[in-house]
Amino acid sequence: MSLAIRVIPCLDVDAGRVVKGVHFENLRDAGDPVELAAEYYSQGADELTFLDVTASSSHRNTMIDVVTRTAEQLFIPLTVGGGVRSIEDVDSLLRCGADKIGVNTAAINNPQLISDISNRFGSQVIVLSIDARREQGTQHTQSGFEVTTMGGRKRTGIDALWWVKRAEELGAGEILLNSMDADGTKNGFDLDMISAVRKEVSIPLIASGGAGKVEDFPPAVAAGADAVLAASVFHYGIITIAQVKHALHNAGYQVR
C-alpha cells in the first residue's frame, strides 16, 4: 500500500463540460473542466482524473484542447481517459500534459494495448479503468462481478476479478475500479467489490462510485483502496477535499 492515501476528484466531461448523473445516465452540467481543475488543485487534491465519458460510445477521440487547458492549471498528476484506442492516442495526450492514461473499452477489445503502452511509456503511465457491476439473477461469471463498457450500458461477460489480474500481468500500473451499481447514488462505495479486487492484485487500487458523505471514505481504504475518487460530492460542494482528508486522518490513515 502507498504511504499516503490519495484523494482524487474526477471530472466526467461531455462536449467540453463537466457532467454528472446516476449510473452514467441523466447527465447534468457541473461546470467548466478547466475552472474546476484549478479549484480542486487549490483545495489540495492529490491527483485529478479527467474522463471523456462519451468518447467511446460516440467513437471519437478525447478532446485534446480541453485536456491541454486543464493540464496547464495543475501541478499534480493528471489522468486522462475516454476514447483512448492506440499508442498514438496515448502519445498525444502525454504531450498535452497528461501524466497517466486511463484505458477501458479499448483494452477489453485489445488486451495487448496494455502491454504496448506499458512497454513504450512505463507501467506507471497506464491506469486500467474498469466499470464493474454485480450480476443480477443467473450468474455468468465466477465472482459475480462483471465488466461492462459504454458507461455500464453494455455487458461483456468478463469476470472483473479475472480481468484485473490479467491487466496487472499485462503491465497495468494501477486499477481504477468504478462500481456501476454505486455510481452517482451517494450510498457509499462497494466495499465487497473493493475487497475482492484487492485480493487479486498488488498494484495500487483507486476506489470509485458511491461517495456521498465524508464517512464513506475511510471504509473504502479499510477494504483495500490506495486512493479514493469522487465526482458529484465535490462538484456540487456537498463535501470538500479537506474534509475527506480530515476524516481519513482521524481514521488513522496517512494523507498528504
Side-chain angles (χ1 to χ4, degrees):
M1 182 169 285
S2 58
L3 292 174
I5 302 301
R6 291 167 288 148
V7 178
I8 307 173
C10 181
L11 305 179
D12 294 318
V13 180
D14 180 24
R17 298 289 291 177
V18 176
V19 294
K20 198 60 199 159
V22 178
H23 308 312
F24 279 65
E25 295 176 348
N26 303 318
L27 300 177
R28 60 190 178 117
D29 191 277
D32 175 73
V34 181
E35 289 174 12
L36 278 171
E39 173 63 25
Y40 291 140
Y41 172 63
S42 68
Q43 278 189 32
D46 297 306
E47 295 186 12
L48 193 74
T49 294
F50 177 113
L51 297 177
D52 189 335
V53 293
T54 54
S56 287
S57 54
S58 304
H59 304 292
R60 59 174 172 73
N61 294 332
T62 310
M63 293 163 296
I64 294 294
D65 61 318
V66 183
V67 172
T68 303
R69 290 187 293 120
T70 303
E72 286 168 354
Q73 299 295 322
L74 302 174
F75 299 94
I76 53 175
L78 171 64
T79 299
V80 177
V84 176
R85 300 181 189 86
S86 67
I87 284 285
E88 290 71 32
D89 292 341
V90 174
D91 189 54
S92 63
L93 288 169
L94 292 175
R95 288 174 189 274
C96 288
D99 300 282
K100 305 179 194 176
I101 305 299
V103 293
N104 184 340
T105 308
I108 293 166
N109 295 337
N110 174 26
Q112 182 61 35
L113 181 63
I114 297 173
S115 295
D116 292 346
I117 296 170
S118 180
N119 291 338
R120 170 100 176 256
F121 302 105
S123 62
Q124 79 285 348
V125 161
I126 183 160
V127 179
L128 179 80
S129 181
I130 172 171
D131 295 329
R133 66 177 358 138
R134 292 163 184 263
E135 291 182 318
Q136 305 298 321
T138 311
Q139 297 293 311
H140 294 281
T141 63
Q142 198 172 354
S143 70
F145 297 116
E146 183 183 13
V147 177
T148 66
T149 60
M150 304 298 175
R153 293 186 291 276
K154 186 178 177 186
R155 298 182 60 178
T156 64
I158 298 170
D159 188 310
L161 300 191
W162 174 86
W163 179 226
V164 293
K165 206 169 176 176
R166 181 79 183 112
E168 181 176 33
E169 290 167 357
L170 288 167
E174 202 161 18
I175 302 288
L176 170 52
L177 177 68
N178 187 37
S179 167
M180 293 309 299
D181 299 312
D183 181 77
T185 64
K186 301 188 180 69
N187 292 329
F189 293 92
D190 189 328
L191 304 179
D192 292 340
M193 186 186 287
I194 295 167
S195 178
V197 169
R198 175 76 287 164
K199 291 185 176 82
E200 298 299 325
V201 297
S202 59
I203 53 178
L205 174 61
I206 305 165
S208 168
K213 54 191 184 298
V214 290
E215 293 82 7
D216 291 334
F217 291 87
V221 177
D226 300 281
V228 284
L229 179 145
S232 48
V233 289
F234 293 142
H235 302 338
Y236 300 121
I238 297 166
I239 55 179
T240 65
I241 291 163
Q243 287 171 326
V244 172
K245 291 192 172 189
H246 187 66
L248 289 168
H249 176 75
N250 285 350
Y253 299 110
Q254 187 178 340
V255 291
R256 290 176 184 161

